[in-house]
């Protein structure tokens, strides 16, 4: 977020999509949507047992089931997993290590859809795979907060006329939430 803001502020980028609000004299922003971290799995994975454990609110058993799965991540530092774990389990560190790290979140979801395992991703990135019945929503924890998504641009920019067009398209994209 900060790096993107600096690039927009220095007029090296015309627009940026961030999850952090930057309210300065030289930039303008607009909320274009909300996103949330969710847990997904391929539709081939039988999640019947997990659903039962989840209904019981037995977090020890939930964690045990999840630790028995293959984990996919798109970042070796696993920020998505840590953030989800913090809110869903109130723990700072997950007790797992990703089995597969695929640097592109989109490619990670595609690989997961053809294999077995679980992943944490933004709901907007999983939407297409869920609609196509390639992935299923495993867990949408009510403890994990939604985050606003902002469109950021420099003021007095030659491309300000595109700001409304881009904003409208992004609102359509983020408006179709899970």
């Amino acid at each position: 977020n900060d790096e993107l803001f600096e690039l927009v502020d220095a007029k090296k980028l015309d627009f940026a999509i961030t999850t952090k609000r930057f309210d300065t004299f030289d930039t303008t922003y607009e909320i274009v949507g909300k996103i949330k971290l969710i847990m997904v799995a391929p539709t081939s994975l039988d999640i019947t047992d997990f659903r039962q454990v989840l209904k019981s609110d037995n977090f020890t058993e939930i964690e045990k089931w999840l630790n028995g799965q293959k984990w996919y991540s798109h970042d070796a530092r696993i920020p998505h997993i840590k953030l989800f774990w913090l809110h869903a389990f109130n723990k700072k560190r997950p007790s797992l290590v990703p089995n597969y790290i695929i640097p592109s979140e989109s490619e990670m979801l595609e690989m997961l859809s053809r294999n077995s395992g679980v992943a944490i991703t933004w709901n907007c990135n999983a939407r297409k795979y869920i609609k196509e019945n390639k992935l299923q929503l495993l867990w949408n924890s009510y403890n994990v907060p939604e985050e606003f998504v902002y469109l950021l641009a420099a003021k007095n920019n030659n491309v300000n006329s595109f700001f409304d067009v881009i904003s409208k398209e992004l609102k359509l994209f983020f408006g179709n939430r899970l």
Side-chain angles (χ1 to χ4, degrees), residues 41 50 57 85 103 107 129:
F50 181 74
D57 281 336
W85 218 259
E107 288 296 318
Y129 295 94

Side-chain angles (χ1 to χ4, degrees), residues 2-20:
D2 293 333
E3 291 172 22
L4 288 171
F5 167 74
E6 288 175 20
L7 291 169
V8 169
D9 197 42
K11 295 185 169 76
K12 292 181 180 177
L13 267 183
D14 294 326
F15 302 99
I17 300 169
T18 66
T19 54
K20 183 177 174 183

Side-chain angles (χ1 to χ4, degrees), residues 19 33-37 122-124 145-149 174:
T19 54
K34 287 183 180 180
I35 56 175
K36 183 178 180 181
L37 289 172
W122 294 110
N123 58 352
C124 59
E146 289 183 313
E147 292 188 37
F148 284 109
V149 179
F174 289 113

Side-chain angles (χ1 to χ4, degrees), residues 95-146:
S95 56
L96 58 90
V97 176
N99 301 87
Y100 306 103
I101 299 171
I102 301 159
S104 160
E105 191 166 4
S106 177
E107 288 296 318
M108 176 200 71
L109 293 172
E110 185 62 40
M111 292 297 295
L112 176 62
S113 74
R114 291 187 262 137
N115 292 286
S116 182
V118 298
I120 307 283
T121 188
W122 294 110
N123 58 352
C124 59
N125 294 336
R127 183 181 305 116
K128 171 186 137 190
Y129 295 94
I130 292 170
K131 281 183 179 177
E132 293 174 354
N133 205 31
K134 292 181 177 180
L135 291 176
Q136 60 184 323
L137 179 63
L138 183 61
W139 191 9
N140 183 4
S141 172
Y142 60 87
N143 291 321
V144 176
E146 289 183 313

